Structures are given as C-alpha cells and as structure tokens.
Amino acid sequence: NNLHSKLAPTYHTNSGTMRIEAKLILLCSSAAAALAFCPSSNKVAVISQSSSRCSCSSSSSALFSTENVAETKEQTTSINDTLQIPLSYSEMIVQTSQAMTDALTTAGQTRQIVRILLPRDANNDQIGVFQEAEAQTANSNALNAAETTKLVPTDESWQGGIMQLYRAAAPTTKDILRALSPTMREAGVPPKIVEDRTIDESGVDGVGLLYTQIGKSGGDEVKGEQFEEEGGGGLFGGAFGGFGQSVALPTLSSDDMCVFVQPNQEVVDSIETLSTQSDNGSSSSSPLIALINPQWRDVDDALDSASKNDNAFGAFASFLGGKGNSLKRLDALGYQTTYTLEGYVCKGGNIRLLKRFDSDWIAFAENDAGDAWVKVGQQKDRPRYQDVEKFLDDKGVGYKYARDLGMAPKL
C-alpha cells in the first residue's frame, strides 16, 4: 500500500513548463516502458494501475498469513476462556488425561512432560498432628471431597520429602494411565499397569516407572531389555562402575503407555534409551512416553543458567547439578510440556498456574471462601512472582490478612 504513495509523481510549474519528479523504489519493466512512451497526461494513470496490481498481490499474501495467525489466535483464546482450575481429584485426572490425549492426537506429541498437583489429606496442615493419613483418592469425587482430600503443590510442606510425594504421585499416575487407555474408554476394561521401582538405584529418590501392557494378561511375562546405566552420567561416570546397575526397560507396543514418575537427572539415560528403542520412525506408531512431575524445577537458578552454555564452564555446571545438559537431551528426543498445574502463595493467598500445550499461561487466585478460583491474568510466558503480584494489584486484590480483617475487599 505504501508503493503507490512512493511512486506518486509531484508536479511543479515553472515558466509554463511542467517537471515530473518521481521517487521510485520498485518498478517493473512494464511500468518503465509505459512511462517512457506514454503521454504526460497518462503517466499518473499508468503508475496508479501498476501500483494497484502490486498492492493487490501483496495484500492477498498478507491477508492469507493474517487469516492463519488470526485463526490460531482465536483457537488459543477459546481454550484460554474454557480452562478452569479443577476443584477435585477426579476433575484433575480428567483434565490432565484430556490434555495429553489432545496433544497426542492433534499435535502428534508422543513425548510429553506433565506437572500436576498431588492429592493430600485435608488435615495435613493441622498443628499437633504427627502422623499424616494417606489421601483417599478413590472417593475424592464425592460431595465431601473437599473435606477429605486436597490438591496440593509439590512444595516443601510435605514433611516426608520425596518419598511421601511418590506415595501420592504413583496412584495418581495409575489413574491417569487408566483414563488414557483405549481399552478403558472403548470397553471399560482397565489396562494392566506395571510399576517398576528398580529404576530408582538408591531406593529413596522417589523415582518410579509405570507402564501398561495392552492385551497381556496378568500371568504374561513382561519383556524388557537390560540397560547398564552409567555411574551418574557425569564427568566421572565411568570411574565407579560398581555403582552402575542393570535396569530392565520394558518393550512397548504402539498401544502401550509409559510414565516416568518424578524422574531426576540420574535417570535421563534410561529415558533416552527407552525413547530411542521405542521410536518406530513414525509418531503415529510410537508409544506415548511421559514424564510426570520431574524433580528439576521450571525456573532456573544460577547453576541451571550456567549449565545451558555450550562451553567448558557449562559442562562443569552440569556436572555440579545444573539441568542444562539434561534439558538439551530431552529436547533432542522431542519432549514437550503438554500440561502444567502448579501453585504457590502470593500476597498471602493461594495461586494456581495452569497451562496446556495449546494455551497461554493463566493465573488464578483462590477466593476467600476457599471453594472457587478467580482468573486474575494470563500471558504467553510463564508468569514470574512479580507478574502475578501485578495481576493481583491490577484486579484490586489486597493481602490475605487485610481481607480477613475487613481492611480490603473480599475476593
């Protein structure tokens, strides 16, 4: 559209003569020939006609790309409007399995990373209770679900540490696998699920491997390949061979699903081996392999940032525990985050961050009654603590203690 304005001639009259000055940026040969041989009275029309054709062509291509962008944006906006924080354990299982299924069927993502909340007994935060009861996930969809089970972030409030988290994550993963199973959806027959804890070398790292055996009865032998892990996979991995253990990785069919529960960086070798040997060269025939609640954090500390450098300093930072090298290996295998539900506390109130593979990051704040979540903001990138605090300020949400004391409006 700017071509016409740049090609438009300017007339100046001086002593009965007319001078034409045209600043031409792009001129096709036909327009040049027309200008050379046409009378002066027709030059404006020729230039206008040529520029109109160019403008029409560029407008068509621009319209095509704009329509694609608009369609994608409209789909994302629609998904953002429908996403809500699950209020019960069963709702979270449905929402998680639906996101994983959509990513598999629509985007062909057979390598997925999922972060979810975990069920916990509602009385876990009571002072003076020294033994915490296990969450009753079987009845968590009942009317009194909020009184018996809560969905809690995997933070430092779990006194039992990583093993207590595993005791909640393992049954949750089994319920997700049942929801994903085609036999469960089509015939109501739950799949055979095998839990393998041998992948956890120390036995106390809270790592497990759960996978389905579609079409195999309980007496069938589970076949697997023996894989010798390197001692830690670090700089001195080969120096201490005694620490390496043989890990029997399962042989997965295209209908099977496999989940690494709370994997740490020490099992990335096993993840890489299983992902490679299960890749049949086609995303449609490759089984689903997912990582649920990896033990490395989404945000980076100084060591994580340094480990992402492609130099000797970055390699040394990875050896010291930085996650950069592990993330690079997972990226090369095609692992992508498909569903995230996590939370923390901001301004004294509970915050939840929710994202699907095809949505933006959406921040929710818990209302003062504790029975609903209010959307406070969204953005493309993962909101930082400061971003969430600004969301709350823009919505006029005060500190929790101020709301409790009547010094600020209720949420």
Side-chain angles (χ1 to χ4, degrees), residues 139 155 236 250 259 289 293 309 318 345 373 409:
N139 298 323
D155 52 20
F236 306 104
V259 175
I289 302 179
N293 286 2
N309 296 325
S318 295
V345 176
W373 296 86

Side-chain angles (χ1 to χ4, degrees), residues 89 93 97 137-138 170-180 193 210:
Y89 174 80
I93 295 299
S97 59
T137 58
T172 303
T173 302
K174 291 180 181 179
D175 288 338
I176 293 176
L177 287 175
R178 293 188 186 99
L180 290 172
I193 300 178
L210 276 71

Side-chain angles (χ1 to χ4, degrees), residues 17 71 110 121 181 186 193 207 219 252 259 284 290 327 381 404:
T17 62
E71 182 179 358
T110 59
D121 185 74
S181 172
E186 297 171 2
I193 300 178
V207 181
L252 304 175
V259 175
S284 59
L327 294 184
D381 300 326
D404 293 339

Side-chain angles (χ1 to χ4, degrees), residues 175-249:
D175 288 338
I176 293 176
L177 287 175
R178 293 188 186 99
L180 290 172
S181 172
T183 60
M184 190 69 178
R185 293 195 307 267
E186 297 171 2
V189 179
K192 174 188 175 184
I193 300 178
V194 180
E195 181 178 5
D196 185 4
R197 288 274 290 125
T198 61
I199 196 171
D200 188 353
E201 292 185 8
S202 67
V204 293
D205 284 338
V207 181
L209 180 64
L210 276 71
Y211 54 92
T212 62
Q213 294 286 300
I214 303 296
K216 294 187 173 126
S217 63
D220 290 338
E221 180 183 358
V222 178
K223 298 180 180 179
E225 295 187 8
Q226 297 295 324
F227 168 60
E228 184 75 18
E229 282 194 350
E230 298 180 358
L235 185 61
F236 306 104
F240 305 99
F243 289 98
Q245 295 184 1
S246 295
V247 178
L249 297 177

Side-chain angles (χ1 to χ4, degrees), residues 371-405:
D371 56 0
W373 296 86
V374 181
K375 180 178 177 180
V376 295
Q378 68 183 52
Q379 62 183 40
K380 291 289 185 182
D381 300 326
R382 185 182 187 276
R384 303 170 300 167
Y385 182 89
Q386 294 81 356
D387 296 328
V388 174
E389 190 174 24
K390 186 177 184 303
F391 290 158
L392 296 175
D393 292 339
D394 293 342
K395 294 289 185 178
V397 180
Y399 284 90
K400 183 68 165 62
Y401 77 89
R403 302 199 304 267
D404 293 339
L405 295 176

